[in-house]
Amino acid sequence: MRLVSRGVRLGGRLPVLAAVATLALGAVVLSPGPATAAEPHHVFTPSLLAYTDSTTPDTAVFYPSGGDIPVGSWRDDAGTTHSSRIYVTFDVGGIYAGRLSRATLVGRESRANDCARTRATVAQATAAFTGESSWSHPPATVGKAVTATAEGSDCNSWRTTWDLTAALTKALGRGEHQLTTELRIPKRNEGDVSYGRWLETNEFRFEVELNNTAPLKPTRLFNANTDTPCGPAYFAGSEFSAHANMTDRDRDPYDELTAEMQFWPLADPSAVTPVDPGTSSGADGLNAVGQIPVASLTDGEYAWHARTYDQRAWSPWSDPCHFTVDRTKPAVAPTVASPEYPENPANPTGSTGTEGTFLFTSHGVADVVSFRYGDSQWTLYNQVAADQLGGAATIRWRPRDAGEQTLYVASVDRAGNSSPVRAYTFKVRDLTVNAWSTAQQPDPSGSGMAVTMRFSTQPGNGITTIAYRVDGGSEQLATVGADGVAEQVLTPLKGGEHQLSYVGRSASGEAGYQQETTFFVDDGPTITSDGVYPIEGSGGGVAVPGVFTVSPAVTQGATSVRWFDSVDNNPRVVPLAADGKAKITWTPTTAGWTYFWFTVEYADGSLSSYRSFSVTVN
């Protein structure tokens, strides 16, 4: 056969034929508008629209868009009589046969050859319309032909329908995914031009209505989350989510489930407030989720319920789910007490290794259910339940550090409202002793340096004495004052590094932590300038002499001074004079910066600590 396409029919005249490369039109499923009880669940547009013509028996013509298309007999402008049949195909594979209620082919008549003639157009299912189909080779018909039903009294109906429920039922039963229908005038009148009619090409539709069962009453109601089933004692202090499970036994296919939610005060059930819900899916199916605006509600008892809509029918309302709004915070902070760690004690107690028992009470607030606590008022992450409504709770808490510590506690009511925060401050005993040098000066004996050592510990911790040893020597004792401080002069000590071990002891002999540290004794000499070259300053000039006087800090056994500078790093030795000092005359050979190092030599070959400084020669 030969397949051609015709353009839009204008003024009742047929345009020329044009060769086409394909037969099928794209199928379109139209989304229905606002649903009503009689609305089809599916509205299809044709995937193929064609007609055959008795004057070209081996050719099929189809109209992709626009104009109208003939059925029955008609005459062209030249007076030639034609007979035509229309074939329209719809893709119906997505229809669920178990819910099929009615299937209707819809067309729109544009004109009739003779309005006096009764409409005779019939529709009948056929085999697929293929590239071999034509007037002389029509597809085989299937089932019975059905007559048209027109809306309106005009001989041209804006909506003409054919009931194809039986045809679609059989096609789906055979597992077919397309339904092709032939529109024709019965054979007894097919050759009579007065029975011919014209249908608009863009107005063919296939409307499929499915049986519908209303959704079930929502169940599995939850407050706040899907772990909190509805119960008689849900208290809310802030906005929370209401959850209801939605079920529709005949949801397949394409029944979109939505929900309606509303809440009301139990004191006035007529004061209903709607909630705009969304949906969420989970392991148990589809849930309606609505936010209850607690912040806008006064304290009191309320209830909410939900129902489901499948775009055609509503479910019954769910059972009411009760909740109580309580936005009133506990007015006072809880009380806190501990036998091991009393609040603000005169002397510290316990230790970082000792847990304490802390008792929290609601301080008379009747609806407290728990307490939150932590070591910062912004990190109350720990929680303990009260032993009864408005009751108390006991915890075990280990201090994080020694010294002054604070435990922060707030009570929480049934709605999650928190009380003011209670700051409970206590002091943790610390037996640590710190030691450091506060001063060093030459010992009057001249045999070493006198080092002032300060020992410090926590006031009130019970330590009264510091026992110490220097460089493994004999044990010495220092008395601790009320401020936790003891100062002791260690003498005489040679320059260099020394070891100090020490421990704090109480009056009863209890010892704290044995500790060790090192400290450095600086026995470097004192150096003065005659002013020509100020120390760490500038003066003099090239070939201008200046004098530095070196005085040993430790005099016993001192014999001489050894020194060198950054210009001449060869050590030079100057004996000490009768006054125990050495005068060194320095004459620079270059201008600019020079660095010096000085140390004292002793009869036993030892050296003092070095003393260094710089000068700038003008």
Side-chain angles (χ1 to χ4, degrees):
M1 66 161 268
R2 187 164 62 90
L3 177 67
V4 298
S5 173
R6 292 195 184 277
V8 178
R9 182 178 179 86
L10 299 174
R13 302 178 63 86
L14 289 176
V16 296
L17 302 180
V20 297
T22 183
L23 178 66
L25 302 179
V28 178
V29 178
L30 300 182
S31 299
T36 65
E39 180 187 339
H41 283 200
H42 301 274
V43 179
F44 297 95
T45 55
S47 59
L48 177 143
L49 178 62
Y51 76 91
T52 59
D53 191 331
S54 61
T55 63
T56 54
D58 296 323
T59 301
V61 180
F62 78 100
Y63 285 83
S65 64
D68 50 16
I69 188 170
V71 61
S73 294
W74 52 283
R75 291 191 182 92
D76 62 23
D77 292 346
T80 303
T81 300
H82 303 250
S83 292
S84 295
R85 296 172 185 168
I86 297 173
Y87 296 88
V88 58
T89 299
F90 298 96
D91 295 330
V92 295
I95 296 174
Y96 176 40
R99 290 185 60 190
L100 180 61
S101 174
R102 185 177 179 86
T104 304
L105 172 62
V106 179
R108 180 171 180 174
E109 294 179 350
S110 59
R111 53 201 169 101
N113 292 341
D114 184 354
C115 278
R117 291 294 187 182
T118 303
R119 182 180 289 101
T121 311
V122 297
Q124 187 171 10
T126 71
F129 192 91
T130 70
E132 302 302 321
S133 301
S134 65
W135 177 269
S136 59
H137 295 92
T141 58
V142 181
K144 296 181 180 181
V146 296
T147 58
T149 299
E151 297 184 6
S153 58
D154 194 349
C155 77
N156 296 330
S157 172
W158 70 273
R159 178 180 167 93
T160 305
T161 61
W162 293 265
D163 185 351
L164 297 184
T165 306
L168 179 58
T169 300
K170 292 178 180 179
L172 295 176
R174 294 191 295 269
E176 296 173 0
H177 296 281
Q178 287 187 326
L179 178 67
T180 299
T181 303
E182 177 188 74
L183 298 178
R184 68 175 186 274
I185 304 299
K187 289 185 178 180
R188 63 181 178 275
N189 303 119
E190 192 170 30
D192 188 341
V193 173
S194 65
Y195 282 91
R197 289 180 176 262
W198 298 76
L199 288 87
E200 295 186 13
T201 58
N202 287 343
E203 298 299 328
F204 286 98
R205 299 286 186 271
F206 193 44
E207 298 181 351
V208 178
E209 183 179 348
L210 302 180
N211 291 314
N212 186 66
T213 301
L216 298 176
K217 180 173 76 173
T219 57
R220 294 179 57 79
L221 309 180
F222 295 88
N223 282 325
N225 54 59
T226 53
D227 295 325
T228 311
C230 279
Y234 180 76
F235 288 81
S238 59
E239 182 174 284
F240 68 92
S241 300
H243 301 255
N245 187 249
M246 300 188 294
T247 305
D248 187 8
R249 290 169 294 180
D250 60 2
R251 188 179 175 201
D252 184 22
Y254 307 128
D255 278 352
E256 179 186 1
L257 298 185
T258 58
E260 182 178 7
M261 281 185 174
Q262 47 187 222
F263 67 90
W264 63 92
L266 295 188
D268 184 7
S270 64
V272 173
T273 300
V275 174
D276 185 17
T279 59
S280 68
S281 57
D284 57 348
L286 194 65
N287 289 330
V289 183
Q291 299 299 312
I292 306 298
V294 172
S296 64
L297 304 179
T298 59
D299 287 6
E301 296 180 326
Y302 295 79
W304 64 267
H305 62 187
R307 62 176 180 169
T308 306
Y309 186 53
D310 67 359
Q311 311 310 304
R312 281 150 193 88
W314 288 98
S315 74
W317 284 104
S318 71
D319 295 335
C321 182
H322 292 86
F323 62 97
T324 299
V325 171
D326 175 10
R327 297 193 294 113
T328 302
K329 298 180 179 180
V332 294
T335 66
V336 183
S338 172
E340 294 88 357
Y341 294 103
E343 186 173 23
N344 298 319
N347 295 312
T349 60
S351 70
T352 55
T354 304
E355 274 190 341
T357 300
F358 292 82
L359 173 66
F360 307 150
T361 77
S362 63
H363 205 170
V365 180
D367 63 344
V368 165
V369 295
S370 64
F371 302 89
R372 294 189 294 114
Y373 60 96
D375 53 11
S376 163
Q377 59 182 320
W378 298 282
T379 57
L380 304 182
Y381 299 142
N382 305 286
Q383 189 157 350
V384 60
D387 56 1
Q388 61 184 6
L389 191 62
T394 300
I395 67 162
R396 298 285 293 172
W397 179 261
R398 181 175 306 215
R400 300 288 191 268
D401 294 296
E404 186 171 278
Q405 302 293 305
T406 301
L407 180 64
Y408 296 89
V409 186
S411 61
V412 181
D413 67 14
R414 290 173 294 184
N417 300 305
S418 292
S419 73
V421 176
R422 171 78 157 87
Y424 182 84
T425 301
F426 52 97
K427 295 177 183 177
V428 179
R429 189 182 184 209
D430 183 5
L431 298 180
T432 301
V433 177
N434 296 311
W436 68 98
S437 170
T438 59
Q440 296 187 18
Q441 55 189 7
D443 187 76
S445 68
S447 61
M449 298 293 291
V451 178
T452 301
M453 186 67 62
R454 172 170 287 189
F455 299 95
S456 176
T457 190
Q458 183 187 50
N461 64 0
I463 292 179
T464 58
T465 304
I466 305 297
Y468 66 93
R469 298 174 188 270
V470 178
D471 296 328
S474 60
E475 182 177 272
Q476 306 293 321
L477 299 176
T479 301
V480 177
D483 60 355
V485 174
E487 282 197 342
Q488 197 77 0
V489 178
L490 314 182
T491 185
L493 296 176
K494 298 289 287 182
E497 189 173 84
H498 296 268
Q499 184 181 56
L500 176 69
S501 61
Y502 55 95
V503 63
R505 293 175 183 162
S506 69
S508 63
E510 176 190 11
Y513 306 108
Q514 182 72 40
Q515 297 173 258
E516 289 187 355
T517 188
T518 58
F519 63 96
F520 187 83
V521 174
D522 182 0
D523 62 348
T526 300
I527 303 172
T528 60
S529 169
D530 64 356
V532 176
Y533 297 104
I535 293 173
E536 304 298 345
S538 61
V542 175
V544 177
V547 177
F548 299 109
T549 300
V550 182
S551 303
V554 177
T555 58
Q556 184 174 314
T559 60
S560 58
V561 171
R562 176 180 300 194
W563 69 282
F564 60 94
D565 59 43
S566 57
V567 176
D568 182 359
N569 60 9
N570 292 310
R572 283 150 280 178
V573 177
V574 177
L576 296 177
D579 61 358
K581 300 179 181 179
K583 291 186 180 294
I584 298 171
T585 300
W586 178 64
T587 304
T589 58
T590 60
W593 175 86
T594 301
Y595 204 83
F596 295 88
W597 290 267
F598 294 85
T599 185
V600 177
E601 294 183 331
Y602 292 90
D604 61 2
S606 62
L607 299 175
S608 73
S609 303
Y610 274 88
R611 187 74 68 227
S612 62
F613 62 89
S614 67
V615 301
T616 301
V617 178
N618 293 334

